[in-house]
Amino acid sequence: MKAAAYASQNVTDYPNNNTIFAIWKFKEVPGIPAAFERLCGLVDNLNHSFTIRVPSGRASCVMGIGHDAWVQLGLPSPLPKELKPFEAITGAKHTAVTTPADLHFHLRGPDMAVCFDMLIAITEVLAPVADCLEEIHGFRYWDGRSILGFVDGTENPVGAERQQFAIVGDEDPAFKGGSYLFVQKYLHQMEAWTRLPVEEQEKVIGRYKLSDIEMTDAVKPGNSHSALASLEDEQGNELKIVRDNMPFGNPSKKEIGTYFIAYANTFSTTRRMLERMFIGVPAGNYDRILDFSTAITGSLFFVPTMDLLGQYSAGDAS
């Protein structure tokens, strides 16, 4: 049975203890449409299966589709209004780079075995027709902190606001229930960061490290992360995105970072936040966290509803 119309993929759930993020790019080979049909059925199957197998574990598989893949696969046209290849944002010192990507998978589970099994099943379908460009194993670090030591996602919307800010509504009726997904892989310069006294680290973030309390405007620097990542519309209403960031790392190779992942009902909100961070307000007053965190990837996807995926699902995979 197909999912009901406008049944969103599980983009509004809260981060779990373990996550795998995977980015795939199609090869120039035959068989891509058939593999995608199997994949649509598999996504539905994985979500249903693990809901039953891990009923209290909030396990889920979310698939996002990039612009070029959307066109190549012949998915509905006109496209979602803001789905296009991500254009790099270049500031005076730092750049939000753009990197190629066709499909993105966000796999959540209470333990890594759930995520691992889901990725194995996805790989069996995709490996003949696509290359995996990134496979990031994320984990919960202490009380929801990034490797930098500060709580990540404090300003995330909660409750009903998650739906409001993450899910496309009547502004794009053909894709109501979908979501814009943007991801970046950040690597942290930990040696430089740990040399900073805690008081200086707090000025970079705009929050007190131990308590996670935000500094007052009179104390918080204008180039702090919390100052530049906040956004309002013309009427003064706060605009938000749903972040599911996770830390990852390979300490022996000195690769330690944060996987930034944002769901939003419009990509323009996410892009404005990135412009404030990388270009600055005013221009040149960029987010100081970028002096310690380098974005090495950047890709935009659209997360269609389960109903739309059901329309492309192969009968033998659902």
Side-chain angles (χ1 to χ4, degrees):
M1 180 181 295
K2 293 181 180 178
Y6 306 140
S8 302
Q9 293 192 61
N10 196 9
V11 304
T12 58
D13 204 353
Y14 294 88
N16 212 317
N17 290 339
N18 296 277
T19 303
I20 294 180
F21 306 102
I23 292 179
W24 294 76
K25 186 86 171 76
F26 287 131
K27 305 174 185 177
E28 294 184 3
V29 296
I32 291 174
F36 181 72
E37 289 176 0
R38 290 183 59 202
L39 198 59
C40 289
L42 179 61
V43 169
D44 183 62
N45 183 267
L46 291 173
N47 281 291
H48 281 280
S49 175
F50 280 103
T51 297
I52 295 171
R53 294 171 62 188
V54 193
S56 60
R58 303 197 328 272
S60 60
C61 167
V62 176
M63 179 172 69
I65 305 170
H67 171 273
D68 291 354
W70 192 284
V71 174
Q72 180 180 358
L73 293 165
L75 300 185
S77 181
L79 279 62
K81 289 182 178 179
E82 296 189 32
L83 178 59
K84 59 181 182 179
F86 174 62
E87 297 176 0
I89 299 172
T90 303
K93 186 174 181 181
H94 302 288
T95 299
V97 299
T98 178
T99 47
D102 285 330
L103 300 175
H104 182 279
F105 293 91
H106 180 188
L107 311 177
R108 301 185 188 94
D111 55 63
M112 188 53 74
V114 173
C115 306
F116 189 75
D117 278 359
M118 286 195 283
L119 186 57
I120 287 177
I122 290 167
T123 300
E124 288 178 353
V125 174
L126 273 182
V129 299
D131 294 315
C132 186
L133 304 183
E134 291 284 352
E135 180 184 323
I136 305 296
H137 292 226
F139 58 91
R140 180 177 173 85
Y141 188 60
W142 297 114
D143 53 337
R145 295 176 185 266
S146 77
I147 300 296
L148 298 179
F150 288 77
V151 176
D152 197 356
T154 300
E155 291 300 314
N156 256 356
V158 296
E161 279 195 341
R162 292 178 76 81
Q163 178 90 8
Q164 173 189 345
F165 288 110
I167 303 297
V168 174
D170 292 333
E171 65 273 13
D172 194 357
F175 296 100
K176 187 174 181 179
S179 184
Y180 289 94
L181 164 63
F182 180 74
V183 299
Q184 292 174 302
K185 177 183 178 181
Y186 282 90
L187 294 181
H188 303 314
Q189 289 75 59
M190 294 303 299
E191 292 182 2
W193 177 254
T194 54
R195 284 198 300 267
L196 279 185
V198 170
E199 293 79 6
E200 287 301 312
Q201 292 181 0
E202 292 173 335
K203 291 178 182 178
V204 172
I205 303 299
R207 290 182 173 277
Y208 296 105
K209 192 170 187 177
L210 180 62
S211 68
D212 188 41
I213 294 174
E214 188 172 359
M215 295 176 171
T216 64
D217 290 342
V219 176
K220 179 170 53 181
N223 65 349
S224 66
H225 180 63
S226 64
L228 289 171
S230 299
L231 188 63
E232 296 180 347
D233 63 18
E234 295 178 354
Q235 288 72 45
N237 301 310
E238 191 171 11
L239 298 175
K240 295 186 177 184
I241 57 178
V242 173
R243 301 173 178 87
D244 273 349
N245 302 353
M246 294 291 276
F248 66 90
N250 190 332
S252 65
K253 294 184 178 180
K254 295 187 176 180
E255 184 181 80
I256 296 176
T258 296
Y259 196 83
F260 172 75
I261 173 169
Y263 294 107
N265 61 350
T266 170
F267 177 62
S268 57
T269 299
T270 309
R271 186 169 181 92
R272 284 179 62 189
M273 290 183 179
L274 293 169
E275 288 171 346
R276 288 172 61 88
M277 290 175 59
F278 283 83
I279 295 175
V281 180
N285 187 54
Y286 62 85
D287 190 335
R288 196 175 167 215
I289 199 173
L290 298 177
D291 288 337
F292 306 93
S293 306
T294 302
I296 63 172
T297 68
S299 305
L300 174 64
F301 307 86
F302 190 79
V303 179
T305 61
M306 293 302 298
D307 179 65
L308 191 149
L309 293 184
Q311 296 176 28
Y312 289 85
S313 172
D316 61 353
S318 58

